[in-house]
Amino acid sequence: MNTRARIVVCDDDVDVRDLLIDLLGKDGYDVVAAEDGIALRKLVPRFRPDIVICDLMMPGEDGLSLVRWLRGEGHAAVLMLTAMGSTTDRIVGLEMGADDYLAKPFEPGELRARLKAILRRTMSANLASGRPAARIKVGRCVVDTEMKAMFDEAGERVELTAMEYDLLHTFITHARRPLTRDQLLEFAHHKKWDPFDRSIDMRIARLRKKIEFDPAKPSVLKTVRGEGYMLVPDGE
């Protein structure tokens, strides 16, 4: 689990915003707040949240319109906050692409559980289909496969060459599977293996410096003796 996942709380109720910022901040998340749709639209492209917790009933632009916009942006998951009896709004919100909903007033424990469930779905590689999620936790960083970019824990972009990204993307789409140098050259660079070609090893060394907590003891981009290299996205 990525305890540094980024969350935006969008609610016109200042008490709800303060409660969630305090609660989720203590859980280790990186949390910021928006008081309405205008503030949210300005914040999302800059902050690039993993999850937006969005109240549906707000003055100005309502939450359903914002859910539609967030799905069009395609990056953040959405947890809707709804009034207890607004069944129709919940159904419409889910049909628009919200990941889950929570009725007010809510229990903090249930909110935490729903957030963790969403993060497990959206920030891990989808191994069954072989397609990565939009945002994947890789050691100290998060890879955004739609932007073809990587960001550190502070949200700053980490520079990657095109070949480094292609290699990293190959590991992501084959997560938890050992890959030989021959396979890496073929999958990432469409080349056949040359026993004198050490470019893969050099790129792996550079990637480790960027993603590993301790590059001298790699726990994310591992060496598998006799087989090659293997990516474990969440450092298991």
Side-chain angles (χ1 to χ4, degrees):
M1 175 62 64
N2 175 19
T3 58
R4 294 294 297 174
R6 293 191 291 273
I7 299 175
V8 173
V9 177
C10 183
D11 199 303
D12 63 307
D13 188 328
V14 65
D15 292 332
V16 172
R17 295 200 305 269
D18 289 346
L19 169 67
L20 291 179
I21 287 174
D22 181 64
L23 177 71
L24 300 176
K26 288 179 179 177
D27 285 347
Y29 296 108
D30 189 359
V31 191
V32 296
E35 68 273 15
D36 56 23
I38 294 173
L40 181 67
R41 285 176 178 270
K42 291 179 180 178
L43 185 58
V44 165
R46 183 176 72 252
F47 187 65
R48 298 196 61 76
D50 300 295
I51 296 181
V52 174
I53 301 174
C54 188
D55 186 20
L56 290 194
M57 300 298 293
M58 293 188 292
E61 186 175 11
D62 65 29
L64 291 175
S65 174
L66 291 170
V67 169
R68 185 187 302 111
W69 173 72
L70 287 164
R71 286 279 61 86
E73 289 291 293
H75 298 297
V78 181
L79 174 62
M80 300 182 298
L81 296 181
T82 71
M84 182 63 74
S86 58
T87 303
T88 300
D89 284 345
R90 291 199 294 270
I91 293 171
V92 172
L94 291 170
E95 288 180 345
M96 285 182 175
D99 295 86
D100 204 348
Y101 71 88
L102 191 60
K104 291 181 177 179
F106 53 83
E107 291 293 331
E110 184 177 4
L111 175 73
R112 288 186 175 108
R114 289 180 184 272
L115 284 176
K116 288 179 180 178
I118 292 171
L119 284 172
R120 280 196 296 269
R121 292 198 303 268
T122 60
M123 295 187 71
S124 299
N126 186 342
L127 300 181
S129 66
R131 295 178 57 193
R135 296 177 67 83
I136 302 135
K137 182 72 165 61
V138 180
R140 298 189 299 111
C141 299
V142 171
V143 177
D144 188 315
T145 59
E146 293 178 353
M147 290 185 67
K148 296 186 177 181
M150 186 165 71
F151 301 87
D152 64 18
E153 293 172 300
E156 297 296 324
R157 189 163 183 154
V158 178
E159 290 300 321
L160 290 173
T161 67
M163 285 190 171
E164 285 173 349
Y165 178 80
D166 288 345
L167 180 60
L168 183 58
H169 190 266
T170 295
F171 277 118
I172 288 170
T173 54
H174 297 79
R176 300 180 182 87
R177 289 171 51 191
L179 296 173
T180 65
R181 290 183 181 86
D182 195 4
Q183 289 173 318
L184 291 169
L185 280 167
E186 183 176 353
F187 294 157
H189 306 316
H190 310 291
K191 293 168 58 179
K192 293 298 183 181
W193 183 58
D194 179 341
F196 298 103
D197 186 348
R198 310 306 294 179
S199 61
I200 288 292
D201 303 271
M202 290 187 291
R203 290 189 190 104
I204 287 172
R206 288 199 294 268
L207 284 175
R208 281 173 169 167
K209 289 180 181 179
K210 296 173 182 180
I211 68 176
E212 294 284 356
F213 295 98
D214 182 358
K217 299 177 181 178
S219 62
V220 180
L221 190 45
K222 298 182 177 182
T223 299
V224 182
R225 184 170 296 180
E227 295 188 65
Y229 298 99
M230 178 175 68
L231 180 74
V232 183
D234 50 12
E236 293 176 354

